[in-house]
Amino acid sequence: MSRTRTPVVANWFTGEGEGFRLLGTRCSACAAVFFPREDVHCRNPGCGGGELAEAPLSRRGLVWSYTDGRYRPPEPYVSDPELPWRPYTLIAVELEAERMVVLGQAAPGVHVDDLEVGMEMEVVPGVLHEDGETTWTTWHWRPVGVSA
């Protein structure tokens, strides 16, 4: 059975494999970069405002912080209450070029015991959930040099 691949949030990421990128926006007046993207006005309080253009973000960054989710989040998080809960790992990665920290889940098989602050990570395509018709896609963080 073939499922339709659908981003969890439209226009937040694009591409596959080495071409996979998170998509932010950059202000033409002050060069501030935003993720999640900003499409209405520059959020920099010191900027008079400029045009906002889509900006692919860096693929790599350094672990800024991490934790594990040991509880089942409330709706709209999708999980089967009939199955036992499995903790997941959240990683905050600092993108040096953009001067920002981006939060995301770890790639499958990456756990808190595998991580340390300052470790180099890369963004990779991921799957958040699948149902009968749709594969809901997202991004994951994975240590550089580790295969999926």
PDB file of all heavy atoms in Angstrom, residues 82-104:
ATOM      1  N   GLU A  82      -3.301   2.195  23.419  1.00  0.00           N
ATOM      2  CA  GLU A  82      -3.280   0.759  23.686  1.00  0.00           C
ATOM      3  C   GLU A  82      -1.862   0.199  23.716  1.00  0.00           C
ATOM      4  O   GLU A  82      -1.630  -0.882  24.243  1.00  0.00           O
ATOM      5  CB  GLU A  82      -4.094   0.011  22.614  1.00  0.00           C
ATOM      6  CG  GLU A  82      -5.555   0.434  22.545  1.00  0.00           C
ATOM      7  CD  GLU A  82      -6.302   0.142  23.846  1.00  0.00           C
ATOM      8  OE1 GLU A  82      -6.099  -0.951  24.421  1.00  0.00           O
ATOM      9  OE2 GLU A  82      -7.060   1.021  24.284  1.00  0.00           O
ATOM     10  N   LEU A  83      -0.906   0.941  23.138  1.00  0.00           N
ATOM     11  CA  LEU A  83       0.485   0.491  23.105  1.00  0.00           C
ATOM     12  C   LEU A  83       1.257   1.101  24.270  1.00  0.00           C
ATOM     13  O   LEU A  83       0.956   2.210  24.698  1.00  0.00           O
ATOM     14  CB  LEU A  83       1.142   0.893  21.784  1.00  0.00           C
ATOM     15  CG  LEU A  83       0.555   0.259  20.523  1.00  0.00           C
ATOM     16  CD1 LEU A  83       1.237   0.836  19.284  1.00  0.00           C
ATOM     17  CD2 LEU A  83       0.696  -1.248  20.564  1.00  0.00           C
ATOM     18  N   PRO A  84       2.269   0.393  24.775  1.00  0.00           N
ATOM     19  CA  PRO A  84       3.080   0.982  25.854  1.00  0.00           C
ATOM     20  C   PRO A  84       3.807   2.234  25.361  1.00  0.00           C
ATOM     21  O   PRO A  84       4.203   2.315  24.197  1.00  0.00           O
ATOM     22  CB  PRO A  84       4.072  -0.118  26.206  1.00  0.00           C
ATOM     23  CG  PRO A  84       3.877  -1.234  25.248  1.00  0.00           C
ATOM     24  CD  PRO A  84       2.705  -0.924  24.371  1.00  0.00           C
ATOM     25  N   TRP A  85       3.969   3.196  26.253  1.00  0.00           N
ATOM     26  CA  TRP A  85       4.653   4.443  25.901  1.00  0.00           C
ATOM     27  C   TRP A  85       6.153   4.209  25.803  1.00  0.00           C
ATOM     28  O   TRP A  85       6.754   3.560  26.652  1.00  0.00           O
ATOM     29  CB  TRP A  85       4.367   5.520  26.939  1.00  0.00           C
ATOM     30  CG  TRP A  85       5.125   6.764  26.667  1.00  0.00           C
ATOM     31  CD1 TRP A  85       6.134   7.289  27.400  1.00  0.00           C
ATOM     32  CD2 TRP A  85       4.955   7.631  25.545  1.00  0.00           C
ATOM     33  NE1 TRP A  85       6.608   8.436  26.803  1.00  0.00           N
ATOM     34  CE2 TRP A  85       5.893   8.668  25.663  1.00  0.00           C
ATOM     35  CE3 TRP A  85       4.100   7.633  24.443  1.00  0.00           C
ATOM     36  CZ2 TRP A  85       6.007   9.693  24.739  1.00  0.00           C
ATOM     37  CZ3 TRP A  85       4.211   8.653  23.524  1.00  0.00           C
ATOM     38  CH2 TRP A  85       5.155   9.667  23.676  1.00  0.00           C
ATOM     39  N   ARG A  86       6.761   4.738  24.726  1.00  0.00           N
ATOM     40  CA  ARG A  86       8.216   4.675  24.558  1.00  0.00           C
ATOM     41  C   ARG A  86       8.758   6.094  24.604  1.00  0.00           C
ATOM     42  O   ARG A  86       8.332   6.938  23.811  1.00  0.00           O
ATOM     43  CB  ARG A  86       8.574   4.014  23.232  1.00  0.00           C
ATOM     44  CG  ARG A  86       8.270   2.525  23.228  1.00  0.00           C
ATOM     45  CD  ARG A  86       8.810   1.871  22.007  1.00  0.00           C
ATOM     46  NE  ARG A  86       8.406   2.615  20.813  1.00  0.00           N
ATOM     47  CZ  ARG A  86       8.461   2.154  19.589  1.00  0.00           C
ATOM     48  NH1 ARG A  86       8.925   0.955  19.366  1.00  0.00           N
ATOM     49  NH2 ARG A  86       8.087   2.882  18.566  1.00  0.00           N
ATOM     50  N   PRO A  87       9.711   6.377  25.506  1.00  0.00           N
ATOM     51  CA  PRO A  87      10.284   7.724  25.571  1.00  0.00           C
ATOM     52  C   PRO A  87      10.925   8.121  24.238  1.00  0.00           C
ATOM     53  O   PRO A  87      11.346   7.264  23.462  1.00  0.00           O
ATOM     54  CB  PRO A  87      11.355   7.604  26.659  1.00  0.00           C
ATOM     55  CG  PRO A  87      10.927   6.435  27.477  1.00  0.00           C
ATOM     56  CD  PRO A  87      10.261   5.489  26.505  1.00  0.00           C
ATOM     57  N   TYR A  88      10.997   9.408  23.999  1.00  0.00           N
ATOM     58  CA  TYR A  88      11.635   9.938  22.798  1.00  0.00           C
ATOM     59  C   TYR A  88      12.643  10.991  23.240  1.00  0.00           C
ATOM     60  O   TYR A  88      12.570  11.515  24.350  1.00  0.00           O
ATOM     61  CB  TYR A  88      10.600  10.540  21.840  1.00  0.00           C
ATOM     62  CG  TYR A  88       9.758  11.616  22.476  1.00  0.00           C
ATOM     63  CD1 TYR A  88      10.126  12.952  22.367  1.00  0.00           C
ATOM     64  CD2 TYR A  88       8.616  11.305  23.202  1.00  0.00           C
ATOM     65  CE1 TYR A  88       9.372  13.944  22.960  1.00  0.00           C
ATOM     66  CE2 TYR A  88       7.859  12.288  23.804  1.00  0.00           C
ATOM     67  CZ  TYR A  88       8.241  13.606  23.680  1.00  0.00           C
ATOM     68  OH  TYR A  88       7.504  14.587  24.280  1.00  0.00           O
ATOM     69  N   THR A  89      13.600  11.277  22.384  1.00  0.00           N
ATOM     70  CA  THR A  89      14.660  12.228  22.713  1.00  0.00           C
ATOM     71  C   THR A  89      14.458  13.523  21.945  1.00  0.00           C
ATOM     72  O   THR A  89      14.237  13.501  20.736  1.00  0.00           O
ATOM     73  CB  THR A  89      16.038  11.617  22.371  1.00  0.00           C
ATOM     74  OG1 THR A  89      16.178  10.395  23.101  1.00  0.00           O
ATOM     75  CG2 THR A  89      17.168  12.557  22.732  1.00  0.00           C
ATOM     76  N   LEU A  90      14.521  14.641  22.662  1.00  0.00           N
ATOM     77  CA  LEU A  90      14.458  15.972  22.064  1.00  0.00           C
ATOM     78  C   LEU A  90      15.838  16.602  22.137  1.00  0.00           C
ATOM     79  O   LEU A  90      16.518  16.495  23.162  1.00  0.00           O
ATOM     80  CB  LEU A  90      13.471  16.861  22.818  1.00  0.00           C
ATOM     81  CG  LEU A  90      12.005  16.512  22.671  1.00  0.00           C
ATOM     82  CD1 LEU A  90      11.171  17.353  23.632  1.00  0.00           C
ATOM     83  CD2 LEU A  90      11.553  16.730  21.242  1.00  0.00           C
ATOM     84  N   ILE A  91      16.239  17.259  21.047  1.00  0.00           N
ATOM     85  CA  ILE A  91      17.557  17.878  20.975  1.00  0.00           C
ATOM     86  C   ILE A  91      17.411  19.325  20.503  1.00  0.00           C
ATOM     87  O   ILE A  91      16.729  19.599  19.517  1.00  0.00           O
ATOM     88  CB  ILE A  91      18.484  17.121  19.995  1.00  0.00           C
ATOM     89  CG1 ILE A  91      18.503  15.624  20.304  1.00  0.00           C
ATOM     90  CG2 ILE A  91      19.891  17.708  20.034  1.00  0.00           C
ATOM     91  CD1 ILE A  91      19.230  14.790  19.269  1.00  0.00           C
ATOM     92  N   ALA A  92      18.070  20.228  21.209  1.00  0.00           N
ATOM     93  CA  ALA A  92      18.169  21.630  20.793  1.00  0.00           C
ATOM     94  C   ALA A  92      19.545  21.795  20.156  1.00  0.00           C
ATOM     95  O   ALA A  92      20.564  21.545  20.805  1.00  0.00           O
ATOM     96  CB  ALA A  92      18.004  22.560  21.984  1.00  0.00           C
ATOM     97  N   VAL A  93      19.561  22.171  18.881  1.00  0.00           N
ATOM     98  CA  VAL A  93      20.805  22.274  18.119  1.00  0.00           C
ATOM     99  C   VAL A  93      21.036  23.732  17.739  1.00  0.00           C
ATOM    100  O   VAL A  93      20.156  24.387  17.178  1.00  0.00           O
ATOM    101  CB  VAL A  93      20.755  21.377  16.865  1.00  0.00           C
ATOM    102  CG1 VAL A  93      21.985  21.577  16.001  1.00  0.00           C
ATOM    103  CG2 VAL A  93      20.596  19.914  17.261  1.00  0.00           C
ATOM    104  N   GLU A  94      22.244  24.221  18.045  1.00  0.00           N
ATOM    105  CA  GLU A  94      22.600  25.591  17.705  1.00  0.00           C
ATOM    106  C   GLU A  94      23.215  25.642  16.308  1.00  0.00           C
ATOM    107  O   GLU A  94      24.203  24.954  16.041  1.00  0.00           O
ATOM    108  CB  GLU A  94      23.591  26.147  18.717  1.00  0.00           C
ATOM    109  CG  GLU A  94      23.946  27.588  18.464  1.00  0.00           C
ATOM    110  CD  GLU A  94      24.839  28.165  19.542  1.00  0.00           C
ATOM    111  OE1 GLU A  94      25.441  27.393  20.320  1.00  0.00           O
ATOM    112  OE2 GLU A  94      24.938  29.401  19.601  1.00  0.00           O
ATOM    113  N   LEU A  95      22.589  26.430  15.443  1.00  0.00           N
ATOM    114  CA  LEU A  95      23.102  26.648  14.090  1.00  0.00           C
ATOM    115  C   LEU A  95      23.952  27.918  14.134  1.00  0.00           C
ATOM    116  O   LEU A  95      23.426  29.018  14.308  1.00  0.00           O
ATOM    117  CB  LEU A  95      21.959  26.802  13.094  1.00  0.00           C
ATOM    118  CG  LEU A  95      20.949  25.655  13.051  1.00  0.00           C
ATOM    119  CD1 LEU A  95      19.830  25.966  12.058  1.00  0.00           C
ATOM    120  CD2 LEU A  95      21.630  24.352  12.712  1.00  0.00           C
ATOM    121  N   GLU A  96      25.266  27.767  14.005  1.00  0.00           N
ATOM    122  CA  GLU A  96      26.181  28.898  14.185  1.00  0.00           C
ATOM    123  C   GLU A  96      25.951  29.994  13.148  1.00  0.00           C
ATOM    124  O   GLU A  96      25.903  31.174  13.481  1.00  0.00           O
ATOM    125  CB  GLU A  96      27.628  28.425  14.135  1.00  0.00           C
ATOM    126  CG  GLU A  96      28.605  29.539  14.428  1.00  0.00           C
ATOM    127  CD  GLU A  96      30.044  29.069  14.448  1.00  0.00           C
ATOM    128  OE1 GLU A  96      30.293  27.852  14.324  1.00  0.00           O
ATOM    129  OE2 GLU A  96      30.921  29.923  14.578  1.00  0.00           O
ATOM    130  N   ALA A  97      25.810  29.619  11.886  1.00  0.00           N
ATOM    131  CA  ALA A  97      25.675  30.623  10.828  1.00  0.00           C
ATOM    132  C   ALA A  97      24.426  31.483  11.023  1.00  0.00           C
ATOM    133  O   ALA A  97      24.456  32.693  10.784  1.00  0.00           O
ATOM    134  CB  ALA A  97      25.638  29.952   9.455  1.00  0.00           C
ATOM    135  N   GLU A  98      23.339  30.874  11.496  1.00  0.00           N
ATOM    136  CA  GLU A  98      22.078  31.584  11.670  1.00  0.00           C
ATOM    137  C   GLU A  98      21.945  32.202  13.059  1.00  0.00           C
ATOM    138  O   GLU A  98      21.021  32.965  13.313  1.00  0.00           O
ATOM    139  CB  GLU A  98      20.896  30.659  11.399  1.00  0.00           C
ATOM    140  CG  GLU A  98      20.756  30.258   9.953  1.00  0.00           C
ATOM    141  CD  GLU A  98      21.627  29.070   9.558  1.00  0.00           C
ATOM    142  OE1 GLU A  98      22.362  28.517  10.405  1.00  0.00           O
ATOM    143  OE2 GLU A  98      21.571  28.684   8.368  1.00  0.00           O
ATOM    144  N   ARG A  99      22.854  31.793  13.997  1.00  0.00           N
ATOM    145  CA  ARG A  99      22.826  32.272  15.373  1.00  0.00           C
ATOM    146  C   ARG A  99      21.481  31.995  16.025  1.00  0.00           C
ATOM    147  O   ARG A  99      20.861  32.868  16.614  1.00  0.00           O
ATOM    148  CB  ARG A  99      23.183  33.747  15.425  1.00  0.00           C
ATOM    149  CG  ARG A  99      24.586  34.011  14.884  1.00  0.00           C
ATOM    150  CD  ARG A  99      24.978  35.453  14.889  1.00  0.00           C
ATOM    151  NE  ARG A  99      24.859  36.009  16.235  1.00  0.00           N
ATOM    152  CZ  ARG A  99      24.694  37.289  16.483  1.00  0.00           C
ATOM    153  NH1 ARG A  99      24.633  38.140  15.495  1.00  0.00           N
ATOM    154  NH2 ARG A  99      24.605  37.721  17.708  1.00  0.00           N
ATOM    155  N   MET A 100      21.032  30.730  15.901  1.00  0.00           N
ATOM    156  CA  MET A 100      19.764  30.339  16.505  1.00  0.00           C
ATOM    157  C   MET A 100      19.827  28.891  16.957  1.00  0.00           C
ATOM    158  O   MET A 100      20.687  28.129  16.517  1.00  0.00           O
ATOM    159  CB  MET A 100      18.606  30.530  15.531  1.00  0.00           C
ATOM    160  CG  MET A 100      18.620  29.573  14.357  1.00  0.00           C
ATOM    161  SD  MET A 100      17.134  29.582  13.326  1.00  0.00           S
ATOM    162  CE  MET A 100      16.887  31.270  12.991  1.00  0.00           C
ATOM    163  N   VAL A 101      18.898  28.526  17.839  1.00  0.00           N
ATOM    164  CA  VAL A 101      18.767  27.156  18.326  1.00  0.00           C
ATOM    165  C   VAL A 101      17.451  26.600  17.795  1.00  0.00           C
ATOM    166  O   VAL A 101      16.413  27.248  17.892  1.00  0.00           O
ATOM    167  CB  VAL A 101      18.791  27.117  19.869  1.00  0.00           C
ATOM    168  CG1 VAL A 101      18.532  25.712  20.377  1.00  0.00           C
ATOM    169  CG2 VAL A 101      20.120  27.643  20.396  1.00  0.00           C
ATOM    170  N   VAL A 102      17.523  25.387  17.208  1.00  0.00           N
ATOM    171  CA  VAL A 102      16.346  24.734  16.638  1.00  0.00           C
ATOM    172  C   VAL A 102      16.106  23.424  17.388  1.00  0.00           C
ATOM    173  O   VAL A 102      17.007  22.592  17.498  1.00  0.00           O
ATOM    174  CB  VAL A 102      16.525  24.464  15.128  1.00  0.00           C
ATOM    175  CG1 VAL A 102      15.322  23.715  14.563  1.00  0.00           C
ATOM    176  CG2 VAL A 102      16.739  25.772  14.372  1.00  0.00           C
ATOM    177  N   LEU A 103      14.890  23.258  17.875  1.00  0.00           N
ATOM    178  CA  LEU A 103      14.497  22.067  18.608  1.00  0.00           C
ATOM    179  C   LEU A 103      13.930  21.023  17.656  1.00  0.00           C
ATOM    180  O   LEU A 103      13.245  21.365  16.695  1.00  0.00           O
ATOM    181  CB  LEU A 103      13.436  22.440  19.646  1.00  0.00           C
ATOM    182  CG  LEU A 103      12.975  21.358  20.603  1.00  0.00           C
ATOM    183  CD1 LEU A 103      14.114  20.938  21.523  1.00  0.00           C
ATOM    184  CD2 LEU A 103      11.800  21.864  21.422  1.00  0.00           C
ATOM    185  N   GLY A 104      14.207  19.761  17.919  1.00  0.00           N
ATOM    186  CA  GLY A 104      13.625  18.685  17.121  1.00  0.00           C
ATOM    187  C   GLY A 104      13.846  17.349  17.804  1.00  0.00           C
ATOM    188  O   GLY A 104      14.644  17.230  18.738  1.00  0.00           O
TER     189      GLY A 104
END
